[in-house]
Amino acid sequence: HQGSKFTIDLPIENWPYAEYETVFEPEKALKPIEERKFSGQHILLCEDNCLNAEIALLLLKDKNLQVDWAKNGKLGVECFETSPVGFYAVILMDVRMPEMDGYAATRVIRQMQRADAAGVPIVAMTADAFEEDIRHSKKAGMNAHLTKPIVVQELYHILCKFILAEK
């Protein structure tokens, strides 16, 4: 009745996804001075799972980000569509949601006739981490791929890349 612990080391060399924002560099983690630049930025979180949303909301609000939560892709599209141009700094998009999945929602956003529709950063959030999943996200118009469960510093690293790049 002690349980077991298994450790598997996989020798992965020449990881082919570096160009697609999957590689996290701890030395480039969020610095306190950069945190201040997050303050007041608006994020659209499209996530149907309440627990996942709650965790993401806590992590985002901890960095003084303003977060709108849409519980499915259709609501996420509506939030983006009714927001002022340039309102959202980043959209965090779950891939598997009811009514409209993250891929479809991303395609709808990318096809909107808005000045920010083509350029707003959209980050896939999913437990799917295979090469095919990453390609599917990219093909749908997403800019990065964040795997679940969320690694806090990876989330902040991706936000830094997109939010601080604008400054």
Side-chain angles (χ1 to χ4, degrees), residues 87-106:
F87 185 73
Y88 291 112
V90 176
I91 298 173
L92 298 175
M93 184 73 73
D94 184 19
V95 170
R96 297 178 189 210
M97 294 181 285
E99 293 196 49
M100 182 184 288
D101 68 28
Y103 300 125
T106 298

Side-chain angles (χ1 to χ4, degrees), residues 116-132:
D116 59 346
V120 63
I122 302 177
V123 179
M125 292 194 323
T126 178
D128 303 331
F130 291 108
E131 178 183 354
E132 179 181 328

Side-chain angles (χ1 to χ4, degrees), residues 2 7 40 61 71 131 136 151 153 156:
Q2 293 290 323
T7 302
K61 288 182 177 183
K71 296 181 181 180
E131 178 183 354
H136 196 95
V151 175
Q153 291 302 331
Y156 294 154

Side-chain angles (χ1 to χ4, degrees), residues 16-30:
Y17 313 115
E19 73 281 358
Y20 188 57
E21 297 312 314
T22 57
V23 176
F24 171 63
E25 300 171 27
E27 66 276 5
K28 292 186 180 177
L30 192 62

Side-chain angles (χ1 to χ4, degrees), residues 42-116:
H42 292 267
I43 304 293
L44 176 57
L45 173 65
C46 300
E47 171 65 66
D48 66 311
N49 182 288
C50 292
L51 180 59
N52 289 342
E54 186 176 333
I55 291 167
L57 287 166
L58 288 171
L59 294 172
L60 296 167
K61 288 182 177 183
D62 185 55
K63 299 303 178 194
N64 296 315
L65 291 158
Q66 303 298 311
V67 186
D68 292 333
W69 174 28
K71 296 181 181 180
N72 62 55
K74 184 178 180 211
L75 292 173
V77 167
E78 290 172 11
C79 283
F80 181 78
E81 189 172 38
T82 58
S83 69
V85 171
F87 185 73
Y88 291 112
V90 176
I91 298 173
L92 298 175
M93 184 73 73
D94 184 19
V95 170
R96 297 178 189 210
M97 294 181 285
E99 293 196 49
M100 182 184 288
D101 68 28
Y103 300 125
T106 298
R107 285 190 290 273
V108 169
I109 289 170
R110 293 296 187 219
Q111 293 171 3
M112 286 182 185
Q113 299 300 310
R114 289 175 50 127
D116 59 346

Side-chain angles (χ1 to χ4, degrees), residues 128-139:
D128 303 331
F130 291 108
E131 178 183 354
E132 179 181 328
D133 303 312
I134 295 169
R135 274 197 311 262
H136 196 95
S137 297
K138 191 172 185 178
K139 186 176 179 183

